[in-house]
Amino acid sequence: QVQVVESGGGLVQAGGSLRLSCAASARTFSGYAMGWFRQAPQKEREFVAAISWSGGNTHYADSVKGRFTISRDNAKNTVHLQMTSLKPEDTAVYYCAARLGVYGSPPFSRYEYDYWGQGTQVTVSS
């Protein structure tokens, strides 16, 4: 019921910034929480950031707290991840995900999300 498409990945030097975008289109009356996850080679997919339907509640992984900012614009059906002070360890495929029917605090487990985008590659050089 939700189509999710990420964009904005690319190559950036350490210390630089990058802004990821996610277009989400729902075919339901239900609202949905949104999250960003990432997966590096040989590693599990890990939580990065999440935001509630209203945008009022956010949650970040400790590894990105203070550097990344998640936001959403429901009128445009978009979610963004502004990444600053990027580090080589941020290199991964970044995925946008949606969880239907969640209006409050967004979940931060990948198992709690219903719909996923195809992923966009972020590479940070040192």
Side-chain angles (χ1 to χ4, degrees), residues 15-18 64 66-69 82-87 90:
S17 300
L18 204 61
V64 306
R67 299 189 298 121
F68 292 8
T69 301
Q82 180 65 51
M83 305 184 292
T84 61
S85 301
L86 284 164
K87 306 173 181 179
D90 293 319

Side-chain angles (χ1 to χ4, degrees), residues 54-77:
S54 70
N57 296 319
T58 58
H59 184 71
Y60 297 91
D62 288 341
S63 60
V64 306
K65 194 172 298 181
R67 299 189 298 121
F68 292 8
T69 301
I70 188 171
S71 62
R72 71 188 300 167
D73 184 346
N74 288 352
K76 297 181 179 180
N77 297 314

Side-chain angles (χ1 to χ4, degrees), residues 17-34:
S17 300
L18 204 61
R19 185 178 177 86
L20 304 183
S21 297
C22 175
S25 181
R27 301 291 187 270
T28 176
F29 290 111
S30 298
Y32 47 93
M34 297 293 297

Side-chain angles (χ1 to χ4, degrees), residues 2-3 7 23 42 54 67 74 79 99 106 119:
V2 180
Q3 183 172 334
S7 63
Q42 310 301 318
S54 70
R67 299 189 298 121
N74 288 352
V79 180
R99 169 62 188 271

Side-chain angles (χ1 to χ4, degrees), residues 93-109:
V93 176
Y94 283 69
Y95 297 90
C96 184
R99 169 62 188 271
L100 289 175
V102 174
Y103 295 86
S105 182
F108 52 88
S109 169

